[in-house]
Amino acid sequence: MTDQSAPKPVTAYKEGFTLEDQRHFKNNRDLAEWLGGGNASVWVNNRPSEAFPSTATVPNRLPPAELPKAINPEIGKITVETNSLGTLTLDEFMAHPAGRAQAFMVIHKGQIAYENFAAMHPADFHVWMSTAKVIPGLLIDLLISEGKIDDEKTVGHYLEVYRGSAWEDIKVIDVMDMCTGLDIQEMQDGISYKPGSVVQRMLSAEFGLPYKGEVEDFDAVLRDAKKVLEPGVQFDYSSVATQVLVMICEAITGEPWAETVDKRVWSKVGFESALLVHTTPTGLAVGHGMLSTRLSDMGRFGMLYTPSWSKVANEQVVTDEILKRIQQGTRSHDFYMKGYGPETAAHLADETMISNARQWDAVWPDGDLFKSGFQQQSLYVSPSRDLVIVNFSVNGGDDTIKHYLRPIATSGLF
Amino acid sequence: MPNNDPMSVPGAKVTLPVSKVREGFDQEFIAAARKNFSNTHMQLGGDHALYYTTNFTEFVPAAMANPHGPVSELTRRPDPSLGALTYTLGDGTESAPLDAHLVDFNSRVQGMMILHKGDVVFEAFPGMRPEQVHIWASVAKSMVGTLLTMLELEGKLDTSKPITDYAPALRGSEWDTVPLIHAINMASGLDITEDAKNTMDPRSVFQRMLAADFGIPNADGVQEDENEVLRGAVRLPGEEPGKFARYSSVITKVLCEVVETVTQKTYTAVAEERIWSKIGARAPLVMSLSPAGLAIGYGAQHSTLEDLARYALIFTPSWQKVAAEPIVSPDVLRKMQTASSKEAYLAGDFTDHSWVKMCFGKDMPIFNSHQWDAVWEDGALFKHGNLYQGIYSDPARDVVGVFFSTSPVNLAPDLNPGYLRAAAKVLAGG
């Protein structure tokens, strides 16, 4: 028997998983292992519908919109200072076993300018982790544009289940911008997903995994959130906030969240494959992170925020108004840096962003947008440069790959 | 006393038209369907089953066999005359015209496609959107048979050996006495048949296996280990393997394990590598997994109807319409068309099925073979699925037909298979 806990390079799984691998991972379900960045993380990220108890499938209804290739070799030569491997080009980093990068793609004006599937098959699904959050954010924005949501109204106004809890008087806009003032932060006392925290208990409930021996009720976990600050004071990153957006969306539409994504987004775009919406055991979409697609489809999604949207979609999903709401929706750099901002800035090795906004982790003065995923997935969009950068990794700790994003965007190549 | 009548469970009965699936369900309906999910509830084919058959991954984890490369676009060449197609039923009466059949509330058909020479000549989606995935049910078994036949002809397994040579978890049980070839042809001699009695008995090996594979408690409230359920199979008195073909999903479950043991890959990986990556499919082939991680390749397998049609084409001369290389070799096809027993077929229970009697009473298959339910003298292959799914692949006439439904087995006999074979004859001129 292979020792499944001995860390293997991510390239070991490029062609998939052996029978023994699959049996081992399927029968050893452990949240810490899944999130830890080791072998089990590769499996969860590339085989999410096997790991999670429940998955809703949003089909690709339109014929796939092909992305022509216009490869620019200069992109792979862009160098950054890595955390521990010295100065490396993007190509070198992608090939480095310590990077644990699986795939990277740059799309400029609707054409693939760089692609590197170092450690996964282009046809494989991969979990977005928190890069997913921009989709719940987009649906709220679409419903605002339709006049169905007012983001100055409160959580309690839209969700009866949270009346009488600390959520009741929090405005939707403060949920969108992750400044609820509740103790739902992802990072507490320097620890991500601290055992016993609301966010860690929520994740366990979502995966049907026990907390203190019992699978908890999702709503009950969220109702346990306590107020620690006034809302709106600082950026306190939290997946719990995004989940509340998913629930508000369902309350407004009366339909499963996955169906709303289908009707309002996925059915209008020529994606190559389906969007997998992994759900809690009771069927609530885990929109804060547990969405999976091919990498190229994440790229096509990013294109919806660029002038090249028409090359993949049959109507403009992200309207100019919605894009402006994000780009002009930043609060202040001070608001950002008082909270979780320094973490994101460190991930990017860049502090020139203004702040977060509407589920995006960073918005720059030039209008560029960035969303990070827990295992170093990235979605970076530059509407002004008509540029999308996406990548999948399973790194639990080293965030070096994100160091490349802003330098690529500002390289002068685009 | 708890009420144990399955038909009294909300959502068990048929009240909704299948067109409801095209429109979508509200949260209240979905919540009720979730609350009542079970193998037995689904098998009733009622309103809730309409949700399960198109959303199964919400209930059971699944692996994905992904398509690779560009989609193979199928040419549309509609033949309007097929809507008026009728055929002679087993009782001697004439069927309704196909168009009338498809809109009949009780037919429960959700989608049907017929292809001639690789082009789509007929398609109708009264009860699903074309992009939706739908359960194949036992249509999936045709893939198990195909993969096993490929492996056999590559010399990777010996079908004369006991099945437990390739299914180690069952060694030391009655399965040791079953040669692989008789398992492949559904003549195991074990008391695991899916006849009416076992299908309605929640304590049969068949129903206990379904409960274990769906990850839910059995009729006695116990969540059983899937291999322990299989190991409990006993011999039918006086039945030697190979003598009586008796339909059983339990056999196919073991055959999926055989594929994995031989290849040392997951069943899904084998399906992707050998078939699904090569046919220009639009969407993944979705393989539901048992709690232990074995693909439920005997039935909980899902795709769009058009992708099922692409798969059906690989058995015909029109395989080039979807694939760059032949997937099913002439030898594999011939083996599946010929290597079975008419005696065992007639002695067993295959011909008891109402769809066989009604659709083919006047045009009987010669036998079942290699997980296909019906093979005709002319080489045509058919596989039926629970809740009325079907795949008909007719290499000689270069016609394929596929359909998805959600129908209770007791509402009306499945007449869809007969339309497909009748269409093949009309299209090919006899």
Side-chain angles (χ1 to χ4, degrees):
Chain A
M1 290 288 283
T2 321
D3 176 7
Q4 295 284 359
S5 61
K8 291 186 199 170
V10 284
T11 47
Y13 301 108
K14 183 173 181 181
E15 303 302 328
F17 299 84
T18 66
L19 190 56
E20 192 189 332
D21 291 335
Q22 193 260 11
R23 287 289 187 277
H24 173 82
F25 296 131
K26 174 89 181 151
N27 292 307
N28 290 276
R29 294 161 53 81
D30 181 275
L31 185 60
E33 286 282 311
W34 286 4
L35 300 177
N39 302 341
S41 293
V42 183
W43 182 72
V44 169
N45 275 284
N46 280 141
R47 299 291 185 266
S49 57
E50 301 183 32
F52 303 140
S54 176
T55 297
T57 306
V58 178
N60 44 320
R61 296 190 189 274
L62 294 184
E66 202 199 331
L67 302 177
K69 286 187 194 174
I71 302 295
N72 182 346
E74 296 306 312
I75 297 169
K77 294 177 190 162
I78 290 173
T79 61
V80 304
E81 191 60 35
T82 68
N83 286 324
S84 57
L85 306 170
T87 302
L88 291 180
T89 67
L90 175 62
D91 283 338
E92 287 166 345
F93 184 82
M94 291 300 293
H96 199 294
R100 296 187 73 70
Q102 293 174 290
F104 201 104
M105 187 178 275
V106 177
I107 303 167
H108 183 223
K109 294 185 176 169
Q111 297 186 316
I112 297 174
Y114 180 87
E115 72 172 340
N116 187 338
F117 285 90
M120 65 179 279
H121 195 282
D124 278 351
F125 288 92
H126 195 293
V127 181
W128 286 27
M129 290 291 175
S130 291
T131 44
K133 288 186 171 67
V134 296
I135 301 187
L138 174 58
L139 291 190
I140 296 290
D141 267 325
L142 288 167
L143 292 169
I144 289 171
S145 294
E146 292 171 27
K148 290 179 179 155
I149 290 181
D150 175 352
D151 60 11
E152 287 296 324
K153 291 220 163 87
T154 64
V155 173
H157 176 80
Y158 291 109
L159 295 173
E160 199 177 337
V161 67
Y162 295 122
R163 288 179 202 156
S165 79
W167 288 97
E168 180 165 354
D169 297 327
I170 309 286
K171 289 179 184 173
V172 172
I173 183 67
D174 291 334
V175 184
M176 280 289 266
D177 287 346
M178 295 209 180
C179 49
T180 60
L182 304 181
D183 64 345
I184 56 171
Q185 314 93 323
E186 210 110 319
M187 173 85 79
Q188 296 184 13
D189 305 327
I191 305 166
S192 287
Y193 311 118
K194 191 179 166 191
S197 63
V198 170
V199 67
Q200 186 265 347
R201 288 167 55 202
M202 180 187 79
L203 285 184
S204 297
E206 286 171 351
F207 295 143
L209 297 169
Y211 169 70
K212 290 193 173 168
E214 268 184 57
V215 178
E216 293 191 281
D217 175 71
F218 184 88
D219 291 330
V221 171
L222 264 63
R223 286 180 60 91
D224 270 354
K226 306 274 185 301
K227 179 174 174 175
V228 288
L229 277 177
E230 285 306 310
V233 171
Q234 65 183 41
F235 173 40
D236 275 333
Y237 187 77
S238 177
S239 293
V240 184
T242 313
Q243 253 343 79
V244 170
L245 298 179
V246 170
M247 286 184 274
I248 290 172
C249 182
E250 288 202 342
I252 297 297
T253 63
E255 64 195 14
W257 188 83
E259 201 170 314
T260 310
V261 182
D262 182 9
K263 284 183 184 161
R264 289 183 161 78
V265 182
W266 222 255
S267 61
K268 299 177 176 182
V269 183
F271 288 110
E272 260 184 25
S273 191
L275 168 71
L276 303 183
V277 176
H278 310 295
T279 75
T280 66
T282 55
L284 178 68
V286 185
H288 69 77
M290 302 309 145
L291 307 181
S292 305
T293 67
R294 294 182 178 190
L295 185 69
S296 70
D297 282 343
M298 185 194 255
R300 288 179 180 86
F301 175 79
M303 284 173 65
L304 299 179
Y305 294 80
T306 71
S308 286
W309 65 263
S310 58
K311 292 171 184 163
V312 291
N314 63 8
E315 69 178 80
Q316 190 173 11
V317 177
V318 179
T319 58
D320 296 346
E321 181 202 4
I322 288 175
L323 183 60
K324 268 202 200 90
R325 244 184 255 158
I326 303 164
Q327 291 175 322
Q328 298 172 6
T330 50
R331 298 197 182 203
S332 71
H333 195 62
D334 179 55
F335 160 90
Y336 191 62
M337 297 308 274
K338 269 197 290 196
Y340 192 77
E343 289 290 327
T344 302
H347 288 319
L348 291 159
D350 180 280
E351 289 194 2
T352 61
M353 71 284 284
I354 306 167
S355 179
N356 66 305
R358 305 184 95 82
Q359 301 290 301
W360 290 84
D361 287 343
V363 180
W364 280 267
D366 57 10
D368 284 10
L369 313 170
F370 163 71
K371 184 69 200 81
S372 171
F374 177 64
Q375 278 164 322
Q376 315 311 334
Q377 297 89 337
S378 310
L379 171 59
Y380 185 102
V381 180
S382 179
S384 64
R385 298 176 182 93
D386 203 351
L387 179 73
V388 177
I389 310 171
V390 287
N391 83 277
F392 287 147
S393 302
V394 288
N395 202 328
D398 189 302
D399 56 21
T400 290
I401 197 150
K402 292 173 190 161
H403 298 191
Y404 289 95
L405 301 170
R406 188 71 182 159
I408 291 173
T410 56
S411 61
L413 294 172
F414 308 104
Chain B
M1 279 289 285
N3 185 347
N4 283 329
D5 175 16
M7 290 308 288
S8 71
V9 176
K13 296 191 182 80
V14 169
T15 69
L16 298 171
V18 292
S19 59
K20 185 69 190 154
V21 178
R22 290 185 63 92
E23 299 158 19
F25 296 97
D26 62 32
Q27 285 170 330
E28 196 181 343
F29 178 92
I30 295 168
R34 280 193 158 267
K35 182 163 169 272
N36 290 294
F37 176 72
S38 77
N39 49 309
T40 45
H41 191 52
M42 179 170 176
Q43 283 223 332
L44 296 172
D47 290 349
H48 283 170
L50 286 172
Y51 192 75
Y52 306 144
T53 51
T54 45
N55 296 280
F56 202 74
T57 53
E58 293 184 29
F59 300 92
V60 176
M64 302 284 170
N66 289 309
H68 296 185
V71 174
S72 54
E73 292 299 337
L74 299 174
T75 303
R76 259 64 187 179
R77 191 162 51 77
D79 180 341
S81 74
L82 288 172
L85 180 74
T86 65
Y87 70 99
T88 307
L89 301 171
D91 62 9
T93 62
E94 199 65 8
S95 75
L98 177 54
D99 277 343
H101 166 73
L102 291 172
V103 297
D104 180 350
F105 180 91
N106 282 335
S107 82
R108 314 304 287 167
V109 187
Q110 294 175 274
M112 179 181 280
M113 294 180 76
I114 299 170
L115 287 73
H116 184 215
K117 296 182 177 171
D119 299 338
V120 179
V121 293
F122 182 85
E123 62 186 319
F125 288 90
M128 63 186 294
R129 295 175 64 176
E131 312 89 6
Q132 274 183 301
V133 297
H134 193 290
I135 195 165
W136 287 23
S138 294
V139 164
K141 293 184 173 78
S142 66
M143 188 174 280
V144 180
T146 302
L147 292 171
L148 280 170
T149 311
M150 289 177 179
L151 293 169
E152 181 189 359
L153 293 184
E154 290 166 21
K156 294 188 173 133
L157 51 81
D158 178 348
T159 59
S160 69
K161 292 272 172 59
I163 192 170
T164 50
D165 276 20
Y166 306 103
L170 299 182
R171 282 180 199 153
S173 75
E174 198 63 36
W175 290 93
D176 283 335
T177 65
V178 181
L180 183 52
I181 182 62
H182 296 322
I184 290 174
N185 285 334
M186 293 287 197
S188 68
L190 303 182
D191 184 11
I192 51 177
T193 179
E194 231 164 289
D195 58 13
K197 177 180 149 290
N198 282 341
T199 303
M200 294 315 291
D201 176 6
R203 290 172 182 81
S204 65
V205 171
F206 170 61
Q207 285 294 356
R208 286 167 55 209
M209 174 189 75
L210 288 186
D213 281 350
F214 289 10
I216 59 176
N218 66 14
D220 298 314
V222 180
Q223 187 148 351
E224 295 190 273
D225 174 83
E226 54 199 76
N227 277 324
E228 282 310 307
V229 173
L230 299 184
R231 291 177 65 88
V234 298
R235 176 155 303 288
L236 282 165
E239 288 212 3
E240 290 307 304
K243 301 295 187 204
F244 300 85
R246 296 192 188 281
Y247 188 78
S248 175
S249 294
V250 181
I251 293 174
T252 314
K253 176 172 171 73
V254 183
L255 294 176
C256 291
E257 193 173 335
V258 171
V259 170
E260 296 200 337
T261 305
V262 169
T263 59
Q264 282 301 297
K265 291 178 180 166
T266 62
Y267 181 81
T268 309
V270 178
E272 175 171 323
E273 177 185 306
R274 287 174 177 262
I275 298 175
W276 214 254
S277 61
K278 298 180 173 179
I279 61 169
R282 256 300 277 288
L285 176 67
V286 181
M287 310 285 311
S288 302
L289 300 177
S290 72
L294 183 66
I296 307 178
Y298 57 79
Q301 175 170 324
H302 325 258
S303 80
T304 67
L305 188 64
E306 187 173 298
D307 283 343
L308 175 60
R310 288 186 171 93
Y311 160 72
L313 285 176
I314 69 177
F315 305 98
T316 73
S318 288
W319 60 263
Q320 306 100 312
K321 294 280 172 86
V322 293
E325 54 179 287
I327 296 169
V328 175
S329 73
D331 288 348
V332 168
L333 181 60
R334 198 174 310 114
K335 184 110 192 165
M336 295 195 296
Q337 288 170 323
T338 58
S340 192
S341 160
K342 183 161 194 170
E343 293 71 32
Y345 178 71
L346 294 174
D349 60 18
F350 273 73
T351 53
D352 294 344
H353 290 274
S354 60
W355 64 263
V356 180
K357 290 180 181 165
M358 284 303 277
C359 297
F360 304 123
K362 306 293 182 197
D363 179 18
M364 280 297 285
I366 51 172
F367 47 53
N368 66 300
S369 174
H370 289 67
Q371 301 288 298
W372 295 88
D373 285 339
V375 180
W376 283 265
E377 195 79 53
D378 54 29
L381 307 163
F382 177 75
K383 182 72 197 83
H384 193 251
N386 195 7
L387 307 176
Y388 299 1
Q389 332 303 327
I391 179 172
Y392 177 82
S393 198
D394 191 330
R397 297 182 179 88
D398 205 356
V399 171
V400 306
V402 287
F403 62 91
F404 286 144
S405 332
T406 301
S407 175
V409 291
N410 54 6
L411 193 62
D414 188 357
L415 303 182
N416 296 298
Y419 286 106
L420 300 183
R421 185 155 164 86
K425 290 177 182 173
V426 169
L427 288 164

